[in-house]
């Protein structure tokens, strides 16, 4: 079937109901929107909203989307709508006829609407999405039709949606075997003989293999056709060289050669291997997973899934040193998978956060038992042709794993996936302490980790908090607690269902399991950011441990305040309103790299230059209150006005043996770094404006150096736009990274600035925000306050081509004017702005 966008021309309004009105549901007047659309992100937050910290205090809501479209008389025989995602549940009506529904916000709804259409006139589509019941998950979800919608049009004989599946079972340097399975449907009232012509093209568009197969179809029959191809000297897909091929299938009348249908998919030729002796191999090359867990939102634009936003996220994560992402804890968007295919990012796709035991009041446990097969079938159907997807996960910290029913479900789900796709590996992200929550007090007591008072509360059921609060109380000791024999014994059947055991916060089990279970492959499916040096040491040393996925690679909305460092207060997992970001990402919500990102890059062996970060002198000597997920709150700044002669903590990260610190040219001594010291040193330095410098030494010889400079008095707006040209159609984005700097380019981190962005012409302001985790400003405001000197504006292309004028203003700064252009969707190639040079030997950035 031929696919076309079905994203424009929608009207959205708040559905409304009596209960919602009584509870104060926020009502929105009808407005025109082009999908994807997150109906939640623009709403005002409130500390009383029932979503609370998990949902970043955003309100839920039920929304109705309507669209009219004309169906020409006799143009086609079959019309299908594909909704990539509606949160949380969705119901579709065509001309007042119920057409289909979906109960899970991450599962597609593919519905044949042919029977409900009126040919030769306008037809009305009504979609109702329901997300008022809160809380229904543990992170920010967005509301409405937040992923794209597609219209698939086909004849009586056609290839249905997801009708082509490509496998590469035999891969070698000389010749690779490619199997293409194509589903054909015949809706005619008579048998039909057609010709299926399929060809494989390389990235240059050249045909490398071709097959033509006659196919006889009975009336109203669906049949799978298997074709085998051999590709000589294939370019293999890998994270380092993500070569892609294109498979084109044409269905033709056997007698007349008339084309009845056409479909094309991209795929990669690659070989996956996994064992405890060599770990994970792609095309025979051993790969350690430098992994990032990620949620689905994109900061200021919410969960709206634009291809540009997905690609940008993948690109920046890869530039930061990651080679794999874990989609936490829901099936990935198609656009993200496309980006991972093209850029060379391995994907661990995950389908569920809960099974039959809920974690929040209205979560998917209420509907899991009814829908799980459909959800898994959709994930596999969507993922099958993506070479980046190397493993499926069917759960995250499932609470019932230690029970008989939990073990039964574990094996049932694993075998369901294998029955649909035998070419990839299967895992489950297991947290043994979450599965043994009622025994955690005794486990902690056995190991001498918690006070007797806390143990008594846990054992009596009076402990105020869930597993996350308990893990906060024990700090990093959850890794140690996981080695308790009770955990391994309880999880043994669950482990037996897996190709690789995903272990959440169970690092100390890697070596134990390698010795006790020589056939077991493990990896850190979720780990603490500050632990990367310890984690990576284990990964490098143990062939059976294939990698590490930090929580998280990219900061996200919801689970607010988990990574915030506070002082002299109570230590809690969540932080009170107005906190709304988790603040645990290596990259913040704007994509800017935080110090932990550079530290991780050094641990991975990907960066040779040192890195400097400094804690606020005003907090020196104060007691830090932070969760195990929180790293240091040091930032890359040497601008602390009013703190002259005050001591502060300076952090230096380096792979070299030692680093010398210099302040305004004076040596402050050398500090051991490198692998033996977990790549990190700390120094007590009294603040003095000027230049703080770090020089790396190996074998006594100076190597690379970096510096931090005190910001000057002048204020200059620096605006970096990632493109000068947008595609018309409201699907393209431009990112404006805005910073207030001095004349040398040093960012003014020491104070806040109100920045105003105005957009006129063939684009609009889609989102505007900063990485401030406690801001009460709205992402749809024209004015935002800088956080550590930075804000980011996201522009969306207009429906039609035209010029775009952007002005950026801030008090005390000369305004900046930008000129962009929105061009016809099919016109020319995209022009991108040249990258600003980044001199590592002179700055910390």
């Amino acid at each position: 079937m031929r696919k076309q966008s079905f994203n424009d021309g929608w009207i959205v309004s708040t559905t409304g109901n009596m209960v919602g009105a009584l509870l104060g549901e926020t009502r929105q007047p009808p407005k025109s929107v082009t999908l994807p659309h997150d109906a939640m992100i623009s709403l005002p937050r409130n500390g009383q909203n029932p979503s609370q910290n998990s949902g970043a205090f955003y309100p839920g809501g039920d929304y109705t989307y309507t669209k009219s479209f004309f169906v020409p008389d006799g143009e086609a025989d079959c019309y299908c709508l594909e909704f990539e995602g509606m949160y949380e549940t969705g119901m579709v009506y065509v001309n007042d006829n119920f057409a289909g529904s979906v109960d899970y916000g991450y599962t597609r709804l593919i519905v044949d609407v042919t029977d409900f259409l009126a040919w030769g006139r306008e037809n009305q589509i009504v979609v109702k999405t329901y997300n008022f019941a809160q809380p229904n998950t543990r992170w920010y979800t967005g509301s409405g039709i937040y992923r794209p919608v597609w219209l698939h049009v086909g004849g009586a004989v056609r290839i249905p949606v997801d009708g082509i599946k490509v496998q590469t079972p035999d891969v070698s340097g000389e010749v690779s075997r490619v199997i293409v399975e194509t589903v054909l449907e015949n809706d005619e009232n008579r048998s039909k003989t057609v010709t299926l012509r399929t060809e494989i093209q390389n990235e240059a568009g050249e045909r490398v293999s071709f097959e033509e197969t006659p196919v006889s179809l009975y009336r109203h029959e669906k049949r799978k056709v298997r074709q085998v191809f051999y590709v000589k000297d294939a370019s293999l897909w890998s994270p380092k060289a993500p070569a892609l091929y294109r498979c084109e299938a044409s269905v033709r009348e056997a007698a007349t050669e008339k084309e009845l249908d056409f479909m094309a998919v991209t795929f990669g030729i690659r070989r996956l291997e996994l064992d405890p002796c060599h770990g994970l191999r792609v095309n025979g090359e051993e790969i350690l997973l430098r992994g990032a867990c990620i949620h689905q939102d994109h900061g200021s634009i919410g969960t709206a899934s634009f291809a540009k936003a997905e690609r940008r996220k993948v690109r920046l994560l890869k530039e930061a040193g990651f080679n794999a992402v874990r989609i936490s804890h829901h099936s990935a968007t198609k656009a993200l998978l496309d980006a991972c295919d093209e850029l060379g990012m391995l994907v661990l796709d995950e389908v569920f956060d809960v099974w039959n035991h809920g974690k929040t009041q209205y979560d998917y446990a209420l509907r899991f038992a009814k829908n799980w097969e459909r959800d898994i079938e959709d994930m596999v159907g969507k993922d099958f042709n993506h070479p980046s997807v190397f493993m499926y996960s069917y759960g995250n910290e499932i609470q019932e794993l230690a029970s008989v029913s939990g073990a039964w479900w574990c094996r049932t789900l694993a075998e369901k996936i294998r029955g649909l796709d035998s070419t990839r590996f299967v895992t489950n992200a297991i947290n043994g302490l979450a599965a043994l929550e009622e025994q955690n007090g005794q486990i902690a007591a056995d190991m001498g980790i918690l006070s007797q008072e806390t143990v008594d509360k846990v054992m009596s059921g009076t402990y105020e908090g869930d597993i996350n609060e308990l893990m906060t109380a024990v700090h990093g000791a959850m890794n140690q607690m996981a080695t308790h024999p009770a955990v391994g014994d309880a999880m043994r059947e669950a482990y037996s269902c897996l190709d690789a055991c995903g272990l959440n916060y169970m690092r100390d089990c890697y070596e134990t399991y390698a010795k006790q279970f020589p056939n077991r492959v493990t990896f850190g499916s979720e780990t603490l950011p500050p632990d990367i040096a310890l984690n990576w040491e284990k990964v490098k040393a143990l062939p059976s441990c294939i990698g590490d996925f930090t929580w998280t690679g990219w900061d996200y909305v919801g689970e607010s305040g988990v990574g915030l460092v506070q002082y002299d207060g109570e230590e809690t997992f969540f932080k009170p309103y107005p906190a709304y970001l988790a603040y645990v990402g290596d990259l913040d919500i704007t994509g800017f790299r935080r110090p932990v990102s550079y530290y991780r890059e050094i641990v991975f062996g990907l960066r040779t230059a040192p890195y400097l970060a400094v804690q606020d002198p005003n907090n020196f000597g104060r007691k830090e209150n932070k969760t195990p997920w929180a790293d240091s709150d040091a930032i890359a700044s040497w601008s602390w006005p009013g703190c002259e002669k005050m001591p502060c903590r300076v952090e230096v990260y380096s792979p070299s043996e030692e680093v010398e610190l210099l302040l305004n040219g004076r040596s402050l001594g050398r500090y051991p770094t490198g692998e033996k010291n977990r790549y990190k040193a700390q120094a007590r330095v009294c603040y003095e404006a000027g230049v703080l410098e770090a020089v790396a030494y190996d074998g006594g010889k100076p190597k690379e150096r970096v510096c931090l400079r005190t910001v000057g008095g002048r204020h200059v707006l620096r605006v970096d736009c990632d493109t000068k040209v947008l595609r018309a159609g409201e699907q393209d984005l431009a990112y404006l990274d805005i910073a207030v700097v001095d004349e040398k380019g040093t960012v003014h981190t020491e104070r806040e600035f109100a920045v105003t962005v105005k957009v006129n012409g063939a684009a609009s302001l889609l989102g505007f925000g900063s990485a401030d985790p406690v801001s009460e400003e709205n992402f749809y405001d024209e004015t935002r306050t800088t956080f550590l000197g930075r804000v980011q504006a996201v522009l969306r292309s207009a429906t039609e081509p035209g010029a775009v004028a952007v002005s950026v203003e801030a008090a005390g700064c000369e305004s900046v004017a930008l000129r962009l252009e929105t061009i016809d969707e099919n016109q020319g190639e995209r022009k991108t702005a040249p990258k600003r040079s980044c001199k590592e030997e002179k700055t910390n950035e």
Side-chain angles (χ1 to χ4, degrees):
M1 299 180 75
R2 289 170 170 82
K3 183 175 79 169
Q4 60 192 63
S5 174
F6 203 67
N7 293 308
D8 61 346
W10 292 87
I11 304 289
V12 63
S13 61
T14 308
T15 301
N17 57 61
M18 185 190 312
V19 175
L22 292 173
L23 295 177
E25 179 183 6
T26 303
R27 298 299 299 273
Q28 294 177 313
K31 67 175 182 179
S32 299
V33 296
T34 297
L35 306 177
H37 173 244
D38 180 355
M40 182 184 285
I41 195 65
S42 63
L43 300 180
R45 299 188 302 120
N46 187 301
Q48 304 307 311
N49 279 329
S51 67
Q52 290 296 293
N53 290 88
S54 293
F57 301 98
Y58 277 93
D62 301 337
Y63 299 92
T64 297
Y65 293 78
T66 60
K67 174 183 171 75
S68 295
F69 77 108
F70 183 81
V71 178
D73 192 11
E75 182 183 70
D77 296 281
C78 183
Y79 289 81
C80 285
L81 286 175
E82 177 187 10
F83 295 85
E84 286 196 33
M86 299 178 278
Y87 205 86
E88 181 202 14
T89 61
M91 302 184 74
V92 177
Y93 302 84
V94 180
N95 296 328
D96 292 329
N97 297 287
F98 172 71
S101 64
V102 63
D103 285 337
Y104 193 31
Y106 310 108
T107 292
R108 293 176 300 166
L109 174 61
I110 301 173
V111 56
D112 188 335
V113 298
T114 311
D115 289 341
F116 312 120
L117 296 177
W119 272 258
R121 67 178 179 87
E122 291 288 322
N123 291 258
Q124 186 182 57
I125 308 290
V126 176
V127 180
K128 295 184 178 181
T129 65
Y130 299 92
N131 194 29
F132 183 71
Q134 296 286 334
N136 58 45
T137 191
R138 299 183 301 110
W139 56 87
Y140 175 85
T141 63
S143 292
I145 309 177
Y146 71 99
R147 293 184 180 180
V149 180
W150 306 95
L151 176 64
H152 299 265
V153 180
V157 179
R158 60 187 176 272
I159 305 171
V161 180
D162 294 341
I164 299 177
K165 288 183 168 55
V166 184
Q167 301 179 45
T168 59
D170 300 308
V171 176
S172 71
E174 182 179 353
V175 62
S176 298
R177 186 163 66 108
V178 177
I179 298 176
V180 178
E181 292 183 344
T182 304
V183 175
L184 298 181
E185 293 180 339
N186 177 25
D187 272 357
E188 291 192 2
N189 288 320
R190 59 187 177 88
S191 62
K192 192 89 172 179
T193 298
V194 298
T195 300
L196 176 62
R197 291 182 178 176
T198 306
E199 72 173 48
I200 308 297
Q201 300 173 356
N202 61 19
E203 288 186 299
E206 302 166 333
R207 179 194 288 183
V208 296
S209 193
F210 174 80
E211 189 66 38
E212 184 173 280
T213 305
V215 182
S216 295
L217 301 166
Y218 287 147
R219 63 190 183 96
H220 302 294
E221 181 186 25
K222 177 187 289 188
R223 178 173 287 276
K224 183 186 296 182
V225 181
R226 183 176 185 269
Q227 295 172 302
V228 180
F229 302 82
Y230 294 92
V231 179
K232 297 178 180 179
D233 302 318
S235 298
L236 304 186
W237 187 96
S238 72
K240 293 180 182 178
L244 293 174
Y245 286 83
R246 178 178 170 91
C247 173
E248 293 188 349
S250 173
V251 184
R252 296 173 180 268
E253 287 268 13
T256 66
E257 293 290 309
K258 177 185 176 183
E259 186 172 82
L260 303 175
D261 203 2
F262 175 87
M263 185 178 288
V265 299
T266 57
F267 69 99
I269 299 176
R270 54 105 174 97
R271 181 175 72 255
L272 297 176
E273 297 171 281
L274 183 69
D275 62 60
C277 300
H278 303 285
L280 174 67
R281 285 171 289 172
V282 179
N283 306 322
E285 180 182 355
E286 295 181 17
I287 290 183
L288 298 180
L289 298 171
R290 305 190 302 269
C293 297
I294 57 173
H295 273 319
Q296 67 169 351
D297 72 85
H298 300 281
S300 65
I301 66 173
T303 58
S305 178
F306 291 88
K308 172 68 177 288
E310 305 283 16
R311 184 180 179 86
R312 178 177 178 272
K313 179 181 285 187
V314 173
R315 176 177 59 81
L316 292 178
L317 285 168
K318 185 153 191 182
E319 289 175 1
F322 294 107
N323 66 3
V325 290
R326 173 186 172 218
I327 313 304
S328 325
H329 312 283
H330 46 77
S331 184
T333 66
K334 294 169 107 177
L336 185 136
L337 295 179
D338 288 340
C340 290
D341 290 345
E342 295 164 10
L343 298 175
M345 183 73 81
L346 290 166
V347 177
L348 167 56
D349 207 4
E350 190 165 82
V351 64
F352 300 121
D353 185 50
V354 294
W355 293 350
N356 296 299
H357 287 227
K359 296 177 182 177
T360 60
Q361 189 172 1
Y362 299 108
D363 67 20
Y364 197 55
L366 299 174
R367 297 175 297 281
F368 167 82
K370 180 179 71 173
N371 296 315
W372 68 272
E373 284 194 274
R374 174 183 180 178
D375 299 327
I376 287 178
E377 288 167 358
D378 181 72
M379 177 182 70
V380 175
K382 170 179 56 66
D383 291 358
F384 199 94
N385 295 323
H386 291 280
S388 56
V389 178
F390 74 104
M391 189 180 294
Y392 299 113
S393 169
Y394 54 86
N396 170 67
E397 299 187 347
I398 300 301
Q399 294 172 308
E400 60 258 44
L401 285 184
S403 67
V404 172
S405 65
W408 184 91
W409 278 105
C410 197
R411 194 170 303 282
T412 300
L413 270 63
E415 294 311 315
K416 174 66 176 181
I417 293 174
R418 291 188 179 105
L420 295 169
D421 185 354
S422 61
T423 70
R424 292 176 171 91
F425 309 118
V426 176
T427 191
N428 190 353
I430 293 175
N431 183 329
L433 299 181
L436 295 176
E437 193 163 0
E438 295 181 356
Q439 300 180 42
N440 283 334
Q442 187 59 54
I443 290 173
D446 291 347
M447 306 184 86
I449 291 171
L450 286 179
S451 67
Q452 188 59 49
E453 179 184 1
T454 303
V455 170
D456 291 342
K457 288 182 178 179
V458 173
M459 298 299 291
S460 65
T462 60
Y463 182 78
E464 295 182 1
D466 59 7
I467 182 64
N468 289 320
E469 292 287 1
L470 182 64
M471 290 167 75
T472 299
V474 301
H475 292 277
M478 68 276 282
N479 286 296
Q480 180 185 352
M481 289 173 64
T483 64
H484 193 284
V487 176
D489 292 344
M491 296 298 102
R492 192 160 182 177
E493 185 170 357
Y495 290 148
S496 72
C497 304
L498 310 176
D499 298 311
C501 300
L503 303 178
N504 287 12
Y505 313 108
M506 298 176 68
R507 178 194 62 238
D508 293 349
C509 294
Y510 300 167
E511 194 167 6
T512 301
Y513 290 171
K515 292 177 180 178
Q516 293 181 350
F517 307 99
N519 295 317
R520 185 176 291 179
V521 176
T522 60
F523 68 99
S525 44
E526 191 169 316
T527 63
L528 299 169
D531 288 355
I532 182 55
L534 283 169
N535 296 345
W536 203 242
E537 181 182 309
K538 299 285 188 184
V539 171
K540 290 192 298 182
L542 298 169
S544 61
C545 186
I546 61 174
D548 177 274
F549 286 82
T550 187
W551 189 267
T552 59
W554 193 286
D555 196 20
Y556 58 97
V557 182
E559 286 197 314
S560 50
V562 172
L564 274 175
V565 178
Q566 296 183 326
Y567 293 86
D568 305 326
E570 184 180 355
E571 192 171 83
T572 59
F573 180 71
F574 289 135
K575 306 304 182 292
Y577 181 87
Y580 78 113
L581 302 181
Y583 208 56
V584 293
D586 275 30
L587 282 69
D588 67 28
I589 64 165
T590 71
F592 182 74
R593 293 178 66 182
R594 300 171 65 199
V596 66
S597 173
Y598 294 94
Y599 177 56
R600 187 181 311 279
E601 189 179 18
I602 288 170
V603 173
F604 284 156
L606 303 176
R607 178 185 170 97
T608 56
Y611 191 86
L612 278 169
V614 181
Q615 278 195 326
D616 186 340
N618 292 294
N619 293 325
F620 186 81
R622 299 175 67 189
K623 180 181 179 296
E624 291 182 338
N625 288 327
K626 60 183 182 180
T627 72
W629 290 266
D631 200 25
S632 166
D633 61 351
I635 62 173
S637 175
W638 194 242
S639 300
W640 307 99
C643 296
E644 286 72 14
K645 298 183 180 181
M646 290 175 58
C648 62
R649 191 174 79 186
V650 174
E651 298 179 2
V652 192
Y653 318 141
S654 175
S656 297
E657 295 170 356
E658 57 181 357
V659 171
E660 182 180 21
L661 286 178
L662 298 97
L663 179 56
N664 293 325
R666 305 188 313 271
S667 176
L668 303 179
R670 295 189 185 184
Y671 298 83
T673 50
E675 186 172 8
K676 291 182 179 179
N677 298 283
R678 293 175 185 159
Y679 309 96
K680 184 183 292 188
Q682 295 183 1
R684 180 185 181 276
V685 177
C686 288
Y687 177 69
E688 174 186 306
V691 179
L692 180 68
E693 194 170 14
V695 183
Y697 283 84
D698 278 315
K701 296 181 180 180
K703 299 289 185 180
E704 295 173 271
R705 61 178 63 202
V706 296
C707 72
L708 296 173
R709 300 178 184 275
T710 301
V711 71
R714 191 179 175 206
H715 301 148
V716 179
L717 276 172
R718 185 180 70 199
V719 183
D720 296 319
C721 185
D722 68 342
T723 184
K724 296 298 183 184
V725 176
L726 293 162
R727 302 282 182 184
E730 297 188 78
Q731 296 299 311
D732 204 1
L733 307 178
Y735 283 81
L736 277 65
D737 290 317
I738 304 165
V740 182
V741 302
D742 65 10
E743 63 277 2
K744 294 183 178 180
T746 303
V747 178
H748 279 275
T749 59
E750 82 290 359
R751 55 166 289 192
E752 297 178 340
F753 299 83
V755 178
T756 299
V757 172
K758 294 183 179 179
V759 183
N760 292 294
S764 60
L765 187 61
L766 178 64
F768 188 22
S770 74
D772 184 356
V774 295
S775 174
E776 290 190 90
E777 296 174 326
N778 192 289
F779 287 131
Y780 277 57
D781 293 338
E782 285 189 342
T783 300
R784 286 298 302 251
T785 304
T786 60
F787 177 68
L788 301 180
R790 294 178 171 85
V791 289
Q792 182 184 79
V794 184
L795 276 55
R796 184 179 192 177
S797 64
T799 303
E800 301 296 331
V804 181
V806 182
S807 68
V808 184
E809 300 175 355
C813 302
E814 184 177 341
S815 63
V816 174
L818 282 78
R819 295 289 176 180
L820 283 70
E821 183 184 6
T822 295
I823 64 174
D824 185 84
E825 190 175 359
N826 300 313
Q827 177 186 341
E829 294 295 324
R830 174 194 293 273
K831 300 175 184 177
T832 57
K835 288 187 177 179
R836 186 165 50 88
S837 63
C838 188
K839 299 181 180 179
E840 290 288 354
E841 72 277 8
K842 292 187 178 180
T843 73
N844 213 22
E845 296 183 19

